[in-house]
């Protein structure tokens, strides 16, 4: 593990700093939009702009890199992302903020594609799984820590925008100085959503709805906190702890899905997330500590769901289909994330701030109900035919899914060479 980290620490450090800036910026904009008197629906549209840009960046960056090159694309997107943060503080109106959010999402997606393709180049068959796990912990951990930076200065000024911009600029230093040639990168191939739906309906629908839930959570979470009267410290703790829940529960839930019927684990996890969303509404009336405890467990249930849906889909694919299918799942998750914040904003408009968790409750409930329906249509995959669950965030780019898919292919190849694991081996820790 130490050798893995040592070989990729500049990339991990740079990506971690990017997530610090991203986490700070997301929550800052939600709070600042409330302070500026923006309507909740308007704020939802603003926050969805990031996912529009991110989806476009994930799709177009590989083509731009092929024409211009990694270093130039990387430098241009980093400069543009840093400038876009500052322009939010200069032009405070919904129209410019929507435009800047689209630009920010596009730039972040492109930066991640370049950085993660470098990361993939550093991985070997022996270290790819460990590197992916470390990378996901870094991303989610720094996303959580970025929320705490909200306490550095008042949100109605410009200092926090400067901090986010500086973090983006500094993140470029270790990545840009990474030794070694630029990695070979090809635009990811995809299968059509309908073709993938016929192979794994729950996987496709689940990834889309999970993307919608996570887009709602990170796009409107700070808005919810401000609407219910939470302090700046309370909002930062709320957003940070819900993210840390995903870090804590990602591995144990993934292990459960490897040992038991994965579809049942998805259903149970989705229903638990749905119930915890309702419990969190009630907990806020009692104490902040109880509220944060509920959000911790809620984050632990919802954030691993994308990995579970991805693994469930891969269970029904041939090795040749895994990488193209992963690109389609990224696309569907991004589409879901675009519609999440505006949907939550509409519900909050007529149901009050509690509409935020009501929306999350319904989304997760639909995932669970659709899973139950699928159990009546098709039998579960035998345990010995299930592949491994690998950590994956719903905002993953094509480069990350390529890393994950290649890890699964490596493990499948090792299993074929060494023979299928016995039931006793599967049950052993």
């Amino acid at each position: 593990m130490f050798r893995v980290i040592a070989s990729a620490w500049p990339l991990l450090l740079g990506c971690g700093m990017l997530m610090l800036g991203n986490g700070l910026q997301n929550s800052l904009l939600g709070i600042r939009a409330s302070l500026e008197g923006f309507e909740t629906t308007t704020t939802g549209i603003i926050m969805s702009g990031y996912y529009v840009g991110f989806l476009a960046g994930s799709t177009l960056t590989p083509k731009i890199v092929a024409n211009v090159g990694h270093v130039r694309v990387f430098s241009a997107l980093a400069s543009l992302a840093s400038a876009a943060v500052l322009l939010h503080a200069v032009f405070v109106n919904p129209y410019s903020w929507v435009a800047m959010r689209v630009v920010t999402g596009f730039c972040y997606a492109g930066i991640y594609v370049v950085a993660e393709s470098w990361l993939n180049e550093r991985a070997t068959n022996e270290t790819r799984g460990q590197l992916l796990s470390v990378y996901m912990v870094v991303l989610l951990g720094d996303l959580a820590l970025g929320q705490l930076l909200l306490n550095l200065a008042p949100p109605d000024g410009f200092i926090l925008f400067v901090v986010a911009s500086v973090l983006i600029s500094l993140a470029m230093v270790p990545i840009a100085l990474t030794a070694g040639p630029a990695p070979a990168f090809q635009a990811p191939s995809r299968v059509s959503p309908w073709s993938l739906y016929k192979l794994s309906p729950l996987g496709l629908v689940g990834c889309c709805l999970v993307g919608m839930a996570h887009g709602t959570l990170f796009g409107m979470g700070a808005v919810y906190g401000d609407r219910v009267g939470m302090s700046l410290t309370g909002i930062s703790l709320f957003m940070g702890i819900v993210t840390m829940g995903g870090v804590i529960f990602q591995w144990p839930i993934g292990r459960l899905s490897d040992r038991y019927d994965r579809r049942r684990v998805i259903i149970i996890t989705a229903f638990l997330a749905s119930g915890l969303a309702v419990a969190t509404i009630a907990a806020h009336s009692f104490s902040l500590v109880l509220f944060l405890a509920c959000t911790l467990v809620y984050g632990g249930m919802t954030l691993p769901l994308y990995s579970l849906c991805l693994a469930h889909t891969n269970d029904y694919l041939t090795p040749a289909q895994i990488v193209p299918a992963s690109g389609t799942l990224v696309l569907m998750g991004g589409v879901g994330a675009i519609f999440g914040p505006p949907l939550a904003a509409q519900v909050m408009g007529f149901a009050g701030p509690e509409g935020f968790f009501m929306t999350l409750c319904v989304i997760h409930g639909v995932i669970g109900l659709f899973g139950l329906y699928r159990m009546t249509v098709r039998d579960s995959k035998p345990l010995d035919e299930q592949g491994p669950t690998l950590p994956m965030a719903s905002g993953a780019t094509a480069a990350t899914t390529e890393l994950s898919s290649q890890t699964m292919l490596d493990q499948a190849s090792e299993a074929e060479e060494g023979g299928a694991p016995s039931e006793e081996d599967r049950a052993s820790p």
Side-chain angles (χ1 to χ4, degrees), residues 102-394:
V102 173
V103 171
T104 299
F106 186 94
C107 292
Y108 263 95
I111 291 170
Y112 287 142
V113 165
V114 175
E116 290 165 0
S117 60
W118 252 309
L119 199 67
N120 198 6
E121 189 78 5
R122 293 297 179 87
T124 65
N125 291 349
E126 294 76 22
T127 64
R128 189 170 281 112
Q130 290 179 323
L131 188 57
L132 179 63
S133 298
V134 171
Y135 178 64
M136 284 300 142
V137 169
V138 168
L139 290 191
L140 290 177
D142 282 291
L143 182 62
L145 292 175
Q147 314 300 323
L148 302 181
L149 297 179
L150 285 169
N151 299 285
L152 292 179
D156 56 354
F158 64 89
I159 294 178
L160 291 179
F161 290 100
V162 173
V163 172
S165 177
V166 168
L167 285 170
I168 295 173
S169 299
L170 291 179
M172 302 306 106
V173 177
I175 298 177
L177 296 180
T178 298
F185 189 84
Q186 298 178 347
S189 57
R190 294 190 176 94
V191 298
S192 69
W194 175 244
S195 298
L196 189 56
Y197 178 84
K198 290 189 290 186
L199 291 170
S200 178
L202 179 58
L204 184 75
V205 173
C207 283
C208 183
L209 292 176
V210 170
M212 183 180 294
H214 294 176
T216 298
L217 178 62
F218 293 110
M220 298 299 291
V223 178
Y224 163 81
D226 183 77
R227 291 287 196 271
V228 297
M230 295 174 64
S231 66
L232 193 62
T233 301
I235 295 174
S236 65
L237 287 175
F238 160 49
M239 294 303 299
I241 285 177
V242 74
T243 307
M244 285 305 300
V247 177
I248 295 170
F249 285 87
Q250 182 82 248
W251 184 83
I253 289 181
R255 291 289 289 171
L256 284 174
S257 77
D258 291 342
R259 297 188 177 195
Y260 301 97
D261 181 357
R262 180 166 289 134
R263 189 162 55 180
R264 292 180 184 271
V265 175
I266 292 174
I267 294 169
I268 293 172
T269 304
F271 279 137
L272 284 174
S274 181
L276 283 163
V278 176
T280 303
I281 298 176
H284 187 263
S285 304
F286 290 93
S287 70
L288 179 62
V289 174
L290 183 59
F291 171 79
L292 293 178
C294 287
T295 58
L296 175 71
V297 184
Y298 168 76
M301 295 298 105
T302 184
L303 292 180
L305 272 173
Y306 185 80
S307 298
L308 299 183
C309 291
L310 182 64
H312 175 72
T313 303
N314 289 336
D315 289 339
Y316 293 91
L317 304 177
T318 64
Q321 293 173 318
I322 289 179
V323 173
S326 297
T328 303
L329 293 176
V330 169
L331 177 67
M332 296 307 299
V335 171
I338 291 172
F339 291 100
L343 173 63
Q346 288 289 335
V347 179
M348 292 171 71
F350 65 81
E354 291 75 15
F356 169 73
F357 277 111
M358 291 178 184
T359 303
L360 293 174
C361 171
V362 172
I363 293 173
H364 289 98
V366 171
I367 296 174
L369 290 173
F370 187 73
L372 288 176
Y373 161 72
R374 289 302 308 168
M375 291 188 70
T376 67
V377 176
R378 182 166 66 180
D379 292 335
S380 298
K381 200 77 170 177
L383 288 180
D384 58 359
E385 296 181 20
Q386 287 188 173
T389 301
L390 296 174
M392 184 64 60
S394 60

Side-chain angles (χ1 to χ4, degrees), residues 15-83:
C15 290
M17 295 181 70
L18 283 171
M19 292 306 293
L20 283 174
N22 197 14
L24 170 61
Q25 186 183 2
N26 277 346
S27 295
L28 172 61
L29 289 178
I31 296 171
R32 185 64 179 267
S34 297
L35 293 176
E36 297 295 338
F38 294 172
E39 295 289 337
T40 304
T41 302
T42 302
T43 303
I45 296 173
I46 291 172
M47 302 311 288
S48 71
Y50 174 86
Y51 300 104
V52 173
F54 197 93
L55 188 59
S58 298
T59 304
L60 297 178
T61 297
K63 301 176 183 177
I64 300 174
V65 169
N67 294 326
V68 181
H70 280 75
V71 176
R72 291 178 179 177
V73 171
F74 187 81
S75 301
L77 292 178
S79 299
L80 189 57
S82 182

